[in-house]
Amino acid sequence: MATGRELWLAYKLRIKRRRLLWRAFRKRRELSAVADRSAQIRPGDILAFATVRNEMARLPFFLDHYRKLGVDHFLVVDNASDDGTAEFLAGQPDVSLWRSAHSYRQSRFGMDWLTWLLFRHGHGHWCLTVDADEILVYPEHDTRPLAELTAWLDRRGVPMMAALMLDLYPQGPLSGASCPTGGDPAAALPWFDAHGYSWEWQPRFRNISIRGGVRKRAFFSDRPELGPHLHKTPLIRWRRAYAYASSPHIALPRRLNGGFDARRDLPTGVLLHSKFLEVVIDKSREEKQRRQHFTHSERYDRYYDEIIADPDLWHPGAVRYDGWKRLEELGLMTRGAWR
């Protein structure tokens, strides 16, 4: 039986979710349609949602990868790119594109915009919410498409799949991690940290918080509380009453956050994170000035400075990425009962 304290928390989170939905409804005015092809969306389509800014180098591979997984339509917000990103996306027949020149930070780092699009177009669909530098892999993703995975989840009444965000990095200075437009970022960033992750149960949102990896090791070893959260729930059978409380790290209602609970024996994925391509140096200079990526931006000045200094993140314990099987062997993803 739920305690009075638990009932009060559930009530507060329900109010929070409604406020987030109302906030997204108001923020819809910050979006202007560039190429709205959402009328093409059919019942049963798998949809992908993203906010992007100057991601022309990554987008061709991003779209190709998710098309191969079985994404049927992409709904994207371009936050005032000036590198050809918007023009490229507007020309893609399976992409609906909106533009906003408003503050990324003041839109909850793009989540207000995406929450509106999820509310408007995602209801009843399996929806994948990812960044342009995130490539989802899961056990047997190369032979079993998303539709097979989501059908399995539907049969078991499971409305989500969780994924670990795994930072990839090069051997040598970041300035040497070059990836041609349309290339696979993992070819330029073939290394990752296999160990050193902490898993912590957080009762407020009923989620497991994961921290660690190269960013904690290289940049936040003396300030672990500032290390990035690596747990995400990027794939959800969306309903209009749902919302992300903190990007795809935390979803509401709380039952959507149970994807890493080992007792449920569910499949989990990995988001291959290509942040550390050479472009991260110039982007860090820009973001240090724009202050659009962190709630307390001033705390991360040292982090940006260390990236701008062009470090070598490799260490002897690094593991080379060679496919999903290695990630499963290391326990960074699991197939659970999906066999």
Side-chain angles (χ1 to χ4, degrees), residues 102-153:
H102 290 265
S103 169
Y104 180 73
R105 182 177 178 180
Q106 294 302 316
S107 69
R108 287 198 309 127
F109 312 105
M111 287 315 305
D112 288 333
W113 302 327
L114 294 187
T115 299
W116 168 247
L117 294 181
L118 284 158
F119 178 92
R120 180 70 179 82
H121 302 289
H123 179 76
H125 292 270
W126 279 96
C127 296
L128 184 67
T129 304
V130 288
D131 293 333
D133 59 5
E134 294 175 338
I135 296 297
L136 176 67
V137 296
Y138 52 86
E140 300 185 37
H141 72 91
D142 47 356
T143 57
R144 304 177 72 181
L146 274 172
E148 188 175 339
L149 173 61
T150 56
W152 185 91
L153 293 169

